[in-house]
Amino acid sequence: MRYSNKHNQIHEELNIWSAFTDLMSNTFMIAMLFLLVAIIKSVNTQTHLSQAIETQKQNAPPPILVIEDKGAYRFASGSAEIPAIMDQYIRNKIVPQIEQHTQQYKINVVEIIGHTDGQGNGSVTSNLDQNLEKVANATIPVNQLKAGSNADLGLMRALAVVQVLRNIQKTSNRLQGLNFRAYSAAQLILPDGNFATVNRNPDATRRRIEVRFTRPGAPIKVE
């Protein structure tokens, strides 16, 4: 009788331990399930956050790169010929920035805009009407153009930068798929984006080349 009681006691203890083990196993499985759900939610959250950040980057306006007309990067007065050190600056500093921003913002058009100050450009007779296309097609160099106005000079300097970029495009695997456009703002636009008042004094802060990134849409005719 004693043996039977002892046997029953041991059997009950084993049953309790088995039930406890099952309980712990189930608890562990539930905990793992919650952990897995939390990990999935975290991954989804991170994915959505990354997508939102990427979308925000693409929708945000791209930056404007500025080549200031100062120091070793200055054009000679009235000239659009690029100094050798400025050529290297464009290749080593500006080109990587163009590649980075065109990829980041999914852009294929790069606008180069020449800005001057308000000094008069003398009494030179412009020959841009006769030779502008030849320069754009690299048939003749920019330095054969003669600027009759600041509008001419700004365009000539923009074209000079475009020629450097196109040359890099043709002779290397860089800047592929990009279109470059040259424009002139002459002395009209200040660095802060506002229209300039009349000022015929030399002002290095206004002389610059701006590199802008655009996504051109299809032209429409407004009637």
Side-chain angles (χ1 to χ4, degrees):
M1 187 69 177
R2 290 180 180 177
Y3 175 79
S4 177
N5 290 338
K6 185 176 182 181
H7 177 76
N8 289 338
Q9 183 179 0
I10 293 173
H11 182 70
E12 289 176 359
E13 289 177 353
L14 290 175
N15 287 339
I16 294 173
W17 177 250
S18 177
F20 178 74
T21 303
D22 291 341
L23 177 62
M24 292 299 295
S25 177
N26 291 336
T27 302
F28 177 75
M29 292 298 294
I30 293 172
M32 290 300 295
L33 180 60
F34 278 116
L35 179 60
L36 180 60
V37 171
I39 291 174
I40 293 174
K41 286 184 177 180
S42 177
V43 170
N44 289 337
T45 300
Q46 290 296 325
T47 300
H48 290 317
L49 181 60
S50 298
Q51 291 174 347
I53 292 174
E54 186 63 27
T55 300
Q56 184 178 13
K57 284 182 179 180
Q58 292 182 16
N59 292 335
I64 300 171
L65 306 182
V66 179
I67 305 174
E68 297 179 307
D69 190 57
K70 66 179 183 180
Y73 305 140
R74 289 193 63 183
F75 288 97
S77 179
S79 171
E81 189 166 0
I82 294 180
I85 193 168
M86 183 178 175
D87 181 273
Q88 291 302 309
Y89 173 75
I90 293 171
R91 294 173 184 273
N92 298 332
K93 299 293 184 180
I94 298 300
V95 168
Q97 289 290 313
I98 291 175
E99 291 175 325
Q100 175 186 334
H101 295 306
T102 52
Q103 291 172 10
Q104 178 179 337
Y105 293 93
K106 311 299 181 185
I107 284 170
N108 63 349
V109 174
V110 180
E111 298 179 345
I112 311 299
I113 305 171
H115 296 261
T116 68
D117 59 20
Q119 295 181 87
N121 204 43
S123 57
V124 177
T125 301
S126 171
N127 66 353
L128 269 68
D129 287 346
Q130 293 76 35
N131 297 314
L132 197 57
E133 295 88 351
K134 296 177 183 178
V135 173
N137 294 324
T139 305
I140 63 174
V142 176
N143 60 14
Q144 289 193 20
L145 293 177
K146 295 180 180 179
S149 67
N150 279 314
D152 286 352
L153 185 59
L155 183 56
M156 287 165 52
R157 290 176 174 177
L159 271 173
V161 175
V162 166
Q163 283 192 338
V164 173
L165 297 174
R166 283 181 173 171
N167 182 59
I168 295 170
Q169 193 177 51
K170 291 178 180 178
T171 59
S172 69
N173 291 323
R174 310 192 72 175
L175 304 175
Q176 297 303 306
L178 299 181
N179 296 313
F180 300 101
R181 298 177 179 176
Y183 299 102
S184 173
Q187 73 269 29
L188 284 181
I189 310 298
L190 296 171
D192 62 7
N194 292 317
F195 278 110
T197 57
V198 177
N199 181 357
R200 302 304 177 209
N201 297 317
D203 187 351
T205 65
R206 294 171 59 183
R207 298 190 298 265
R208 65 200 185 278
I209 297 291
E210 289 184 353
V211 181
R212 292 176 177 254
F213 305 97
T214 62
R215 299 188 191 95
I220 62 173
K221 183 178 179 180
V222 180
E223 298 180 353

